[in-house]
Every structure is written in structure tokens, then in C-alpha cells.
Amino acid sequence: MDSIRKEILITTQRLRFFADGANKNHVVWTADLLPTNQAAATAAMIDQSAAVMQRTLDKSASEG
């Protein structure tokens, strides 16, 4: 009988937003995950998502 190995991804993520003056904010995105062999893929997804957030916020600021 072949053994079946299942890999379970466990992740906890947190986004924190900090105001820095009237028109500036900082975002801190923390991700904890297991197994750690998924870290590179998760980091890439976070980077892509952060870029989308930045473009959206920049566009909103220029329209407002």
C-alpha cells in the first residue's frame, strides 16, 4: 500500500495600517505559515497584492 502524504498549509496573516500625517499611511503585512517551503510563493503573492493596493490608493488620491 502506497503511503499518501498530504501537505496542509497553515497561515495566519495580519494587515496593520498606521497614519503618518494627514496624507500618508504605512501598511505592515505579517504572514506566518507552515510549512515554510511555501514562503517564497506566499511572499510573491503578498508583493503582488501590495502593489495592487498601492496603485489603487494612488489612483484614489489623485482623483480625490
mmCIF file of all heavy atoms in Angstrom, residues 26-61:
data_model
loop_
_atom_site.group_PDB
_atom_site.id
_atom_site.type_symbol
_atom_site.label_atom_id
_atom_site.label_comp_id
_atom_site.label_asym_id
_atom_site.label_seq_id
_atom_site.Cartn_x
_atom_site.Cartn_y
_atom_site.Cartn_z
ATOM 1 N N HIS A 26 1.143 53.982 6.486
ATOM 2 C CA HIS A 26 2.053 52.847 6.352
ATOM 3 C C HIS A 26 1.242 51.577 6.571
ATOM 4 O O HIS A 26 0.371 51.539 7.435
ATOM 5 C CB HIS A 26 3.177 52.902 7.383
ATOM 6 C CG HIS A 26 4.089 54.062 7.197
ATOM 7 N ND1 HIS A 26 5.128 54.048 6.302
ATOM 8 C CD2 HIS A 26 4.112 55.275 7.779
ATOM 9 C CE1 HIS A 26 5.757 55.202 6.350
ATOM 10 N NE2 HIS A 26 5.150 55.971 7.237
ATOM 11 N N VAL A 27 1.552 50.548 5.802
ATOM 12 C CA VAL A 27 0.904 49.255 5.943
ATOM 13 C C VAL A 27 1.976 48.242 6.313
ATOM 14 O O VAL A 27 3.030 48.176 5.683
ATOM 15 C CB VAL A 27 0.210 48.821 4.630
ATOM 16 C CG1 VAL A 27 -0.407 47.435 4.781
ATOM 17 C CG2 VAL A 27 -0.834 49.837 4.215
ATOM 18 N N VAL A 28 1.689 47.448 7.339
ATOM 19 C CA VAL A 28 2.570 46.357 7.730
ATOM 20 C C VAL A 28 1.786 45.062 7.552
ATOM 21 O O VAL A 28 0.719 44.889 8.138
ATOM 22 C CB VAL A 28 3.045 46.496 9.196
ATOM 23 C CG1 VAL A 28 3.891 45.298 9.609
ATOM 24 C CG2 VAL A 28 3.802 47.799 9.382
ATOM 25 N N TRP A 29 2.303 44.179 6.707
ATOM 26 C CA TRP A 29 1.641 42.915 6.402
ATOM 27 C C TRP A 29 2.520 41.801 6.959
ATOM 28 O O TRP A 29 3.647 41.602 6.521
ATOM 29 C CB TRP A 29 1.489 42.768 4.905
ATOM 30 C CG TRP A 29 0.615 41.660 4.420
ATOM 31 C CD1 TRP A 29 0.338 40.474 5.030
ATOM 32 C CD2 TRP A 29 -0.104 41.641 3.193
ATOM 33 N NE1 TRP A 29 -0.491 39.718 4.272
ATOM 34 C CE2 TRP A 29 -0.784 40.414 3.127
ATOM 35 C CE3 TRP A 29 -0.217 42.533 2.137
ATOM 36 C CZ2 TRP A 29 -1.575 40.060 2.045
ATOM 37 C CZ3 TRP A 29 -1.007 42.172 1.059
ATOM 38 C CH2 TRP A 29 -1.684 40.959 1.020
ATOM 39 N N THR A 30 2.001 41.063 7.927
ATOM 40 C CA THR A 30 2.737 39.972 8.553
ATOM 41 C C THR A 30 2.058 38.661 8.188
ATOM 42 O O THR A 30 0.835 38.544 8.287
ATOM 43 C CB THR A 30 2.743 40.128 10.089
ATOM 44 O OG1 THR A 30 3.249 41.416 10.417
ATOM 45 C CG2 THR A 30 3.581 39.065 10.748
ATOM 46 N N ALA A 31 2.844 37.687 7.762
ATOM 47 C CA ALA A 31 2.304 36.370 7.409
ATOM 48 C C ALA A 31 3.134 35.290 8.088
ATOM 49 O O ALA A 31 4.357 35.252 7.942
ATOM 50 C CB ALA A 31 2.320 36.175 5.901
ATOM 51 N N ASP A 32 2.473 34.443 8.848
ATOM 52 C CA ASP A 32 3.104 33.271 9.448
ATOM 53 C C ASP A 32 2.504 32.056 8.768
ATOM 54 O O ASP A 32 1.282 31.962 8.633
ATOM 55 C CB ASP A 32 2.815 33.197 10.950
ATOM 56 C CG ASP A 32 3.400 34.364 11.712
ATOM 57 O OD1 ASP A 32 4.563 34.713 11.429
ATOM 58 O OD2 ASP A 32 2.708 34.909 12.573
ATOM 59 N N LEU A 33 3.347 31.131 8.323
ATOM 60 C CA LEU A 33 2.797 29.978 7.638
ATOM 61 C C LEU A 33 3.621 28.731 7.863
ATOM 62 O O LEU A 33 4.809 28.787 8.147
ATOM 63 C CB LEU A 33 2.673 30.246 6.139
ATOM 64 C CG LEU A 33 3.979 30.434 5.385
ATOM 65 C CD1 LEU A 33 3.900 29.684 4.076
ATOM 66 C CD2 LEU A 33 4.207 31.898 5.132
ATOM 67 N N LEU A 34 2.957 27.607 7.751
ATOM 68 C CA LEU A 34 3.573 26.288 7.786
ATOM 69 C C LEU A 34 2.970 25.472 6.656
ATOM 70 O O LEU A 34 1.782 25.568 6.406
ATOM 71 C CB LEU A 34 3.300 25.595 9.117
ATOM 72 C CG LEU A 34 3.985 26.206 10.330
ATOM 73 C CD1 LEU A 34 3.472 25.543 11.601
ATOM 74 C CD2 LEU A 34 5.489 26.099 10.243
ATOM 75 N N PRO A 35 3.680 24.689 5.960
ATOM 76 C CA PRO A 35 5.127 24.501 6.047
ATOM 77 C C PRO A 35 5.857 25.678 5.417
ATOM 78 O O PRO A 35 5.330 26.372 4.558
ATOM 79 C CB PRO A 35 5.381 23.222 5.256
ATOM 80 C CG PRO A 35 4.279 23.191 4.251
ATOM 81 C CD PRO A 35 3.086 23.832 4.914
ATOM 82 N N THR A 36 7.063 25.900 5.859
ATOM 83 C CA THR A 36 7.826 27.048 5.398
ATOM 84 C C THR A 36 8.278 26.926 3.950
ATOM 85 O O THR A 36 8.723 27.911 3.372
ATOM 86 C CB THR A 36 9.061 27.284 6.290
ATOM 87 O OG1 THR A 36 9.856 26.086 6.299
ATOM 88 C CG2 THR A 36 8.647 27.646 7.703
ATOM 89 N N ASN A 37 8.146 25.762 3.349
ATOM 90 C CA ASN A 37 8.547 25.624 1.940
ATOM 91 C C ASN A 37 7.620 26.404 1.006
ATOM 92 O O ASN A 37 7.896 26.518 -0.173
ATOM 93 C CB ASN A 37 8.635 24.160 1.524
ATOM 94 C CG ASN A 37 7.292 23.452 1.544
ATOM 95 O OD1 ASN A 37 6.309 23.967 2.071
ATOM 96 N ND2 ASN A 37 7.255 22.255 1.005
ATOM 97 N N GLN A 38 6.547 26.957 1.532
ATOM 98 C CA GLN A 38 5.631 27.782 0.746
ATOM 99 C C GLN A 38 5.930 29.272 0.913
ATOM 100 O O GLN A 38 5.213 30.122 0.401
ATOM 101 C CB GLN A 38 4.184 27.500 1.156
ATOM 102 C CG GLN A 38 3.734 26.081 0.907
ATOM 103 C CD GLN A 38 3.742 25.744 -0.565
ATOM 104 O OE1 GLN A 38 3.350 26.558 -1.395
ATOM 105 N NE2 GLN A 38 4.198 24.558 -0.908
ATOM 106 N N ALA A 39 7.000 29.606 1.630
ATOM 107 C CA ALA A 39 7.293 31.006 1.947
ATOM 108 C C ALA A 39 7.535 31.851 0.699
ATOM 109 O O ALA A 39 7.029 32.970 0.595
ATOM 110 C CB ALA A 39 8.488 31.090 2.886
ATOM 111 N N ALA A 40 8.296 31.343 -0.255
ATOM 112 C CA ALA A 40 8.603 32.136 -1.456
ATOM 113 C C ALA A 40 7.339 32.446 -2.255
ATOM 114 O O ALA A 40 7.139 33.577 -2.699
ATOM 115 C CB ALA A 40 9.628 31.415 -2.319
ATOM 116 N N ALA A 41 6.485 31.460 -2.425
ATOM 117 C CA ALA A 41 5.236 31.670 -3.176
ATOM 118 C C ALA A 41 4.319 32.636 -2.436
ATOM 119 O O ALA A 41 3.695 33.515 -3.044
ATOM 120 C CB ALA A 41 4.529 30.336 -3.405
ATOM 121 N N THR A 42 4.247 32.507 -1.121
ATOM 122 C CA THR A 42 3.412 33.407 -0.333
ATOM 123 C C THR A 42 3.957 34.830 -0.381
ATOM 124 O O THR A 42 3.198 35.790 -0.529
ATOM 125 C CB THR A 42 3.324 32.913 1.127
ATOM 126 O OG1 THR A 42 2.770 31.592 1.122
ATOM 127 C CG2 THR A 42 2.449 33.825 1.968
ATOM 128 N N ALA A 43 5.270 34.989 -0.294
ATOM 129 C CA ALA A 43 5.880 36.316 -0.380
ATOM 130 C C ALA A 43 5.596 36.966 -1.728
ATOM 131 O O ALA A 43 5.304 38.166 -1.798
ATOM 132 C CB ALA A 43 7.380 36.227 -0.138
ATOM 133 N N ALA A 44 5.634 36.180 -2.791
ATOM 134 C CA ALA A 44 5.335 36.716 -4.123
ATOM 135 C C ALA A 44 3.890 37.191 -4.202
ATOM 136 O O ALA A 44 3.606 38.260 -4.765
ATOM 137 C CB ALA A 44 5.611 35.662 -5.189
ATOM 138 N N MET A 45 2.963 36.431 -3.639
ATOM 139 C CA MET A 45 1.552 36.840 -3.641
ATOM 140 C C MET A 45 1.350 38.106 -2.816
ATOM 141 O O MET A 45 0.579 38.992 -3.206
ATOM 142 C CB MET A 45 0.665 35.712 -3.124
ATOM 143 C CG MET A 45 0.523 34.567 -4.100
ATOM 144 S SD MET A 45 -0.657 33.318 -3.567
ATOM 145 C CE MET A 45 0.348 32.378 -2.440
ATOM 146 N N ILE A 46 2.033 38.208 -1.683
ATOM 147 C CA ILE A 46 1.929 39.406 -0.856
ATOM 148 C C ILE A 46 2.471 40.610 -1.608
ATOM 149 O O ILE A 46 1.867 41.688 -1.602
ATOM 150 C CB ILE A 46 2.650 39.205 0.486
ATOM 151 C CG1 ILE A 46 1.855 38.226 1.358
ATOM 152 C CG2 ILE A 46 2.865 40.534 1.216
ATOM 153 C CD1 ILE A 46 2.566 37.803 2.624
ATOM 154 N N ASP A 47 3.614 40.451 -2.265
ATOM 155 C CA ASP A 47 4.188 41.556 -3.043
ATOM 156 C C ASP A 47 3.241 42.019 -4.145
ATOM 157 O O ASP A 47 3.058 43.223 -4.355
ATOM 158 C CB ASP A 47 5.528 41.141 -3.655
ATOM 159 C CG ASP A 47 6.631 41.012 -2.614
ATOM 160 O OD1 ASP A 47 6.457 41.505 -1.483
ATOM 161 O OD2 ASP A 47 7.667 40.394 -2.950
ATOM 162 N N GLN A 48 2.623 41.072 -4.849
ATOM 163 C CA GLN A 48 1.669 41.428 -5.912
ATOM 164 C C GLN A 48 0.469 42.152 -5.330
ATOM 165 O O GLN A 48 0.002 43.153 -5.886
ATOM 166 C CB GLN A 48 1.218 40.179 -6.663
ATOM 167 C CG GLN A 48 2.296 39.565 -7.515
ATOM 168 C CD GLN A 48 1.867 38.236 -8.123
ATOM 169 O OE1 GLN A 48 0.802 37.701 -7.819
ATOM 170 N NE2 GLN A 48 2.701 37.692 -8.985
ATOM 171 N N SER A 49 -0.046 41.657 -4.219
ATOM 172 C CA SER A 49 -1.207 42.284 -3.586
ATOM 173 C C SER A 49 -0.875 43.679 -3.075
ATOM 174 O O SER A 49 -1.685 44.605 -3.211
ATOM 175 C CB SER A 49 -1.706 41.421 -2.427
ATOM 176 O OG SER A 49 -2.111 40.155 -2.904
ATOM 177 N N ALA A 50 0.300 43.845 -2.501
ATOM 178 C CA ALA A 50 0.715 45.165 -2.008
ATOM 179 C C ALA A 50 0.834 46.159 -3.160
ATOM 180 O O ALA A 50 0.460 47.329 -3.016
ATOM 181 C CB ALA A 50 2.037 45.049 -1.251
ATOM 182 N N ALA A 51 1.329 45.703 -4.303
ATOM 183 C CA ALA A 51 1.444 46.584 -5.472
ATOM 184 C C ALA A 51 0.063 47.027 -5.951
ATOM 185 O O ALA A 51 -0.131 48.192 -6.316
ATOM 186 C CB ALA A 51 2.202 45.880 -6.591
ATOM 187 N N VAL A 52 -0.905 46.119 -5.939
ATOM 188 C CA VAL A 52 -2.272 46.470 -6.339
ATOM 189 C C VAL A 52 -2.864 47.474 -5.353
ATOM 190 O O VAL A 52 -3.494 48.459 -5.756
ATOM 191 C CB VAL A 52 -3.158 45.211 -6.443
ATOM 192 C CG1 VAL A 52 -4.629 45.577 -6.605
ATOM 193 C CG2 VAL A 52 -2.698 44.342 -7.608
ATOM 194 N N MET A 53 -2.644 47.240 -4.056
ATOM 195 C CA MET A 53 -3.142 48.196 -3.053
ATOM 196 C C MET A 53 -2.532 49.574 -3.280
ATOM 197 O O MET A 53 -3.232 50.587 -3.216
ATOM 198 C CB MET A 53 -2.826 47.709 -1.639
ATOM 199 C CG MET A 53 -3.690 46.575 -1.187
ATOM 200 S SD MET A 53 -3.597 46.216 0.598
ATOM 201 C CE MET A 53 -1.857 46.040 0.895
ATOM 202 N N GLN A 54 -1.220 49.619 -3.550
ATOM 203 C CA GLN A 54 -0.544 50.898 -3.754
ATOM 204 C C GLN A 54 -1.098 51.635 -4.965
ATOM 205 O O GLN A 54 -1.379 52.834 -4.896
ATOM 206 C CB GLN A 54 0.962 50.689 -3.922
ATOM 207 C CG GLN A 54 1.736 51.983 -4.038
ATOM 208 C CD GLN A 54 1.701 52.783 -2.748
ATOM 209 O OE1 GLN A 54 2.106 52.283 -1.705
ATOM 210 N NE2 GLN A 54 1.221 54.004 -2.802
ATOM 211 N N ARG A 55 -1.261 50.921 -6.078
ATOM 212 C CA ARG A 55 -1.821 51.559 -7.294
ATOM 213 C C ARG A 55 -3.233 52.068 -7.033
ATOM 214 O O ARG A 55 -3.595 53.167 -7.468
ATOM 215 C CB ARG A 55 -1.811 50.574 -8.463
ATOM 216 C CG ARG A 55 -0.444 50.327 -9.047
ATOM 217 C CD ARG A 55 -0.500 49.614 -10.382
ATOM 218 N NE ARG A 55 -1.242 48.358 -10.344
ATOM 219 C CZ ARG A 55 -0.696 47.153 -10.093
ATOM 220 N NH1 ARG A 55 0.594 47.060 -9.834
ATOM 221 N NH2 ARG A 55 -1.440 46.074 -10.098
ATOM 222 N N THR A 56 -4.035 51.283 -6.338
ATOM 223 C CA THR A 56 -5.414 51.677 -6.057
ATOM 224 C C THR A 56 -5.453 52.908 -5.162
ATOM 225 O O THR A 56 -6.222 53.863 -5.431
ATOM 226 C CB THR A 56 -6.166 50.515 -5.389
ATOM 227 O OG1 THR A 56 -6.125 49.380 -6.250
ATOM 228 C CG2 THR A 56 -7.612 50.874 -5.092
ATOM 229 N N LEU A 57 -4.628 52.932 -4.147
ATOM 230 C CA LEU A 57 -4.604 54.086 -3.242
ATOM 231 C C LEU A 57 -4.061 55.327 -3.936
ATOM 232 O O LEU A 57 -4.582 56.427 -3.738
ATOM 233 C CB LEU A 57 -3.779 53.755 -1.996
ATOM 234 C CG LEU A 57 -4.393 52.701 -1.072
ATOM 235 C CD1 LEU A 57 -3.396 52.277 -0.013
ATOM 236 C CD2 LEU A 57 -5.683 53.215 -0.447
ATOM 237 N N ASP A 58 -3.047 55.167 -4.776
ATOM 238 C CA ASP A 58 -2.503 56.299 -5.528
ATOM 239 C C ASP A 58 -3.553 56.874 -6.464
ATOM 240 O O ASP A 58 -3.707 58.094 -6.580
ATOM 241 C CB ASP A 58 -1.269 55.890 -6.326
ATOM 242 C CG ASP A 58 -0.053 55.619 -5.438
ATOM 243 O OD1 ASP A 58 -0.090 55.998 -4.238
ATOM 244 O OD2 ASP A 58 0.911 55.014 -5.942
ATOM 245 N N LYS A 59 -4.290 55.992 -7.141
ATOM 246 C CA LYS A 59 -5.326 56.448 -8.068
ATOM 247 C C LYS A 59 -6.433 57.179 -7.322
ATOM 248 O O LYS A 59 -6.894 58.230 -7.747
ATOM 249 C CB LYS A 59 -5.904 55.266 -8.857
ATOM 250 C CG LYS A 59 -6.943 55.654 -9.864
ATOM 251 C CD LYS A 59 -7.461 54.466 -10.636
ATOM 252 C CE LYS A 59 -8.528 54.912 -11.611
ATOM 253 N NZ LYS A 59 -9.148 53.781 -12.315
ATOM 254 N N SER A 60 -6.826 56.613 -6.196
ATOM 255 C CA SER A 60 -7.876 57.223 -5.392
ATOM 256 C C SER A 60 -7.442 58.613 -4.904
ATOM 257 O O SER A 60 -8.233 59.563 -4.906
ATOM 258 C CB SER A 60 -8.208 56.323 -4.204
ATOM 259 O OG SER A 60 -9.158 56.920 -3.372
ATOM 260 N N ALA A 61 -6.198 58.745 -4.490
ATOM 261 C CA ALA A 61 -5.685 60.029 -4.003
ATOM 262 C C ALA A 61 -5.635 61.069 -5.103
ATOM 263 O O ALA A 61 -5.925 62.245 -4.884
ATOM 264 C CB ALA A 61 -4.299 59.840 -3.387
#
